Amino acid sequence: MERNICDFLKRNGKSTALIISKEIGLDKRTVNKHLYNLERSNQVFKTDEQPPVWDLMEKKNEIKQTLKPEQKSPTTRDTGEEKHVEDLLRSGALKAHQIATDLGQSRSTINKQLYSMMEKGTVQKYSISSGLSHSFDVMLKLGEGGFGCVYKVKHKYDDKIYAVKRVILTGKADSEVKTLARLDHPNIVRYITCWPGSDNWTSNQERNQVNNTSSDVVTFERDGSEEDDDDEEVTSGMETLSVTESASAAAEPSGNNRTDRSNQTYLFIQMEFCEGGTLNDWIQERNDLKKQRNTVEIHQIFYEIITGVEYIHANKLIHRDLKPDNILFGADGKVKIGDFGLVAAQTDQNGDPIERSNRGTPSYMSPEQKNKKNYKEKTDIFPLGLVWFEMLWKIFTGSERVKLWPDLRNQRFPEGFSDRYQTESTFIMKMLSSSPEHRPHAKDIKENLEKFFSLDQNLLSQKTV
């Protein structure tokens, strides 16, 4: 198999592990294992890019004389091996024995490196406890997407209904949890707690239908870890590691590259359950009604949405995935903005722009978010313009939506919209500006709603304070 990899690199030149895996029909984890073996035998080398780019050693322009492994100083050798461990952890956390297998090292050597990296702040560990997992009955899977699953659950002891989101345990999951924990606002889905764990707590019925696929957790033991690999399967008191947020900031992991791992471990995020459904449900329900929409109700709902977004932006964050499916209603009808899986800081620690990815929902993304440019909080205003339009204008069929949507994204409204909604169309036009500099801030939109529309101030004060 290593011969096949070398042949591929000879034919095609430098390439990433993912591309190689697709071309030769192996999973990425296996390809990485062989690449690191080839690197140790001085047949290939990799760049410092993320993800690493590999090529044959014979193609390297400048071949530098290197010391044999036994001649290297312990510091040099350890640093190189730790870099290999860090590369593997960038796509998510892994069990220690998996890293040892992938890199062809002993468990004791890997454990030593992991503890050394922990002291340097390169990796962090999680303690997996199954205690919370036995406290819920799973009632229903509410939804599933590229970033995780959401379940409706009932607590066995307090009898309350909650929503639990299951995501792969990575640095991005850490980011979502830390964001939810710091946000406290009536129009933001309320965070309760979180815990790492295996997938087997969700439901016996679902577990019988779904095979255990990937693993994103490193598991290691301080003493006696070499004796019995079967001890790795104990779910109570496990310790896990992943690359720390600062170490993984250079690259956003792709969920599509982790399906080849075994013994998957997740982060479970417990939140309030929004039994009023989503804004998408609300829109579809009103599309089916023949009567005219109540603009006062629409403006009050949108007021709460923009109030929540104003709070997010005031906390120097960008949501990056605002759409009707991520806007929910509580039991009292109050708007709750959810799904912070793509939340990001507006600037780096120095206040400078951040180079960003184009992750999100394409049909709602702003032009600058689609084009991977530097962007800040006004990228959230563009999808809100689309959302406000959807709340006002009935779209009856999918084909009608496909035809209308490109025009709408380019500030071209359907016939009759601007006549019927003169003030709204003026505001939405600005929100859909191709240049973020021409879009209003969330605070300005909120003030205009208060100024130009008849809002029930008593109702707003009850629902948003």
Side-chain angles (χ1 to χ4, degrees):
M1 194 52 62
E2 291 176 0
R3 176 71 179 175
N4 292 342
I5 293 175
C6 289
D7 289 343
F8 174 85
L9 291 174
K10 185 174 293 185
R11 293 193 311 269
N12 300 278
K14 60 185 180 180
S15 187
T16 64
L18 178 61
I19 294 174
I20 297 172
S21 67
K22 289 180 178 178
E23 292 297 326
I24 67 176
L26 285 177
D27 60 72
K28 183 184 173 186
R29 176 187 170 191
T30 302
V31 169
N32 266 323
K33 175 182 176 181
H34 288 301
L35 283 169
Y36 282 114
N37 285 338
L38 288 166
E39 185 186 34
R40 278 191 294 274
S41 61
N42 248 0
Q43 297 181 61
V44 301
F45 70 96
K46 71 176 186 298
T47 68
D48 292 331
E49 300 173 61
Q50 291 300 331
V53 176
W54 297 85
D55 203 352
L56 293 174
M57 183 65 73
E58 63 190 44
K59 294 183 180 181
K60 198 170 186 180
N61 292 329
E62 295 181 8
I63 302 177
K64 298 181 179 180
Q65 186 67 29
T66 58
L67 293 172
K68 293 181 180 180
E70 61 269 22
Q71 293 176 310
K72 291 182 179 180
S73 68
T75 302
T76 301
R77 184 173 61 251
D78 292 346
T79 301
E81 293 296 342
E82 289 178 5
K83 184 66 166 61
H84 294 166
V85 173
E86 186 177 324
D87 287 341
L88 285 177
L89 288 173
R90 285 195 182 281
S91 64
L94 289 172
K95 290 187 176 180
H97 73 86
Q98 290 177 308
I99 293 180
T101 301
D102 287 353
L103 297 182
Q105 300 287 333
S106 68
R107 287 267 300 281
S108 59
T109 299
I110 291 299
N111 283 335
K112 178 182 177 181
Q113 291 168 3
L114 289 171
Y115 279 111
S116 173
M117 295 169 73
M118 233 175 63
E119 291 175 357
K120 298 173 184 176
T122 309
V123 299
Q124 62 187 28
K125 68 179 179 180
Y126 299 89
S127 294
I128 298 181
S129 172
S130 60
L132 282 174
S133 68
H134 297 305
S135 302
F136 298 95
D137 287 323
V138 177
M139 304 171 67
L140 180 69
K141 181 187 285 188
L142 297 173
E144 183 172 6
F147 302 105
C149 297
V150 180
Y151 297 91
K152 178 181 179 181
V153 303
K154 183 177 182 181
H155 200 286
K156 293 180 180 179
Y157 301 105
D158 66 21
D159 283 338
K160 288 188 65 176
I161 305 297
Y162 298 96
V164 171
K165 182 176 182 180
R166 184 195 70 188
V167 295
I168 295 172
L169 183 55
T170 65
K172 294 299 294 181
D174 285 347
S175 176
E176 179 174 2
V177 165
K178 289 173 182 176
T179 297
L180 285 170
R182 65 184 271 204
L183 295 179
D184 183 14
H185 190 273
N187 298 126
I188 304 292
V189 171
R190 183 166 60 90
Y191 163 82
I192 297 173
T193 190
C194 70
W195 66 95
S198 65
D199 192 27
N200 60 9
W201 77 274
T202 49
S203 70
N204 289 330
Q205 296 86 353
E206 184 175 78
R207 189 177 64 202
N208 291 335
Q209 298 172 4
V210 180
N211 292 324
N212 287 334
T213 52
S214 55
S215 175
D216 291 87
V217 174
V218 164
T219 306
F220 71 102
E221 302 168 0
R222 292 178 184 270
D223 298 310
S225 61
E226 301 292 328
E227 295 177 0
D228 190 356
D229 284 347
D230 292 336
D231 290 341
E232 300 283 335
E233 302 306 319
V234 179
T235 58
S236 178
M238 280 188 179
E239 291 182 323
T240 64
L241 288 177
S242 71
V243 177
T244 58
E245 192 171 339
S246 59
S248 62
E252 291 189 356
S254 170
N256 296 329
N257 297 339
R258 293 187 297 267
T259 57
D260 59 333
R261 304 208 182 276
S262 58
N263 305 320
Q264 186 122 334
T265 304
Y266 301 91
L267 185 66
F268 294 91
I269 307 171
Q270 183 185 352
M271 301 168 286
E272 66 173 312
F273 175 66
C274 298
E275 62 183 70
T278 69
L279 181 62
N280 189 54
D281 298 330
W282 184 93
I283 290 171
Q284 294 303 319
E285 180 183 330
R286 277 152 183 76
N287 282 347
D288 295 336
L289 299 176
K290 294 183 179 180
K291 64 181 182 180
Q292 187 70 23
R293 292 188 177 182
N294 184 337
T295 55
V296 174
E297 180 187 8
I298 290 170
H299 296 148
Q300 288 176 335
I301 292 173
F302 193 73
Y303 182 89
E304 293 187 39
I305 296 172
I306 204 68
T307 300
V309 173
E310 179 192 22
Y311 176 79
I312 294 169
H313 291 176
N315 278 271
K316 306 300 182 184
L317 297 170
I318 313 172
H319 188 281
R320 297 205 300 173
D321 199 19
L322 291 169
K323 58 183 178 180
D325 278 330
N326 289 341
I327 298 168
L328 304 99
F329 296 98
D332 56 358
K334 183 183 298 181
V335 165
K336 302 283 186 176
I337 297 174
D339 199 339
F340 285 79
L342 291 181
V343 70
Q346 292 178 16
T347 61
D348 64 18
Q349 294 181 345
N350 297 323
D352 297 324
I354 298 175
E355 188 71 25
R356 306 187 189 279
S357 73
N358 65 342
R359 297 170 70 192
T361 305
S363 58
Y364 286 91
M365 276 191 217
S366 68
E368 67 272 15
Q369 190 171 345
K370 274 192 171 185
N371 295 329
K372 297 187 179 182
K373 294 181 180 178
N374 293 326
Y375 54 84
K376 296 174 68 174
E377 73 277 5
K378 283 191 178 179
T379 196
D380 284 339
I381 301 301
F382 189 91
L384 290 180
L386 299 172
V387 169
W388 196 359
F389 173 88
E390 281 186 280
M391 295 172 67
L392 290 163
W393 193 256
K394 289 186 179 183
I395 304 174
F396 293 98
T397 64
S399 59
E400 180 183 351
R401 181 186 180 88
V402 169
K403 183 178 179 181
L404 180 152
W405 212 249
D407 285 340
L408 181 60
R409 288 182 58 88
N410 286 286
Q411 298 176 295
R412 295 191 294 268
F413 298 127
E415 185 178 353
F417 179 79
S418 296
D419 294 332
R420 183 179 299 176
Y421 303 108
Q422 294 182 9
T423 307
E424 293 92 335
S425 65
T426 300
F427 294 142
I428 295 174
M429 181 77 73
K430 293 179 181 178
M431 296 169 71
L432 296 178
S433 296
S434 59
S435 173
E437 290 77 14
H438 298 152
R439 296 176 208 147
H441 288 281
K443 180 180 180 181
D444 299 328
I445 299 171
K446 178 181 173 183
E447 291 176 353
N448 284 327
L449 284 167
E450 294 171 344
K451 180 178 179 180
F452 289 95
F453 301 107
S454 300
L455 301 177
D456 187 334
Q457 294 300 323
N458 291 328
L459 181 60
L460 289 175
S461 63
Q462 293 172 11
K463 297 173 75 174
T464 61
V465 174

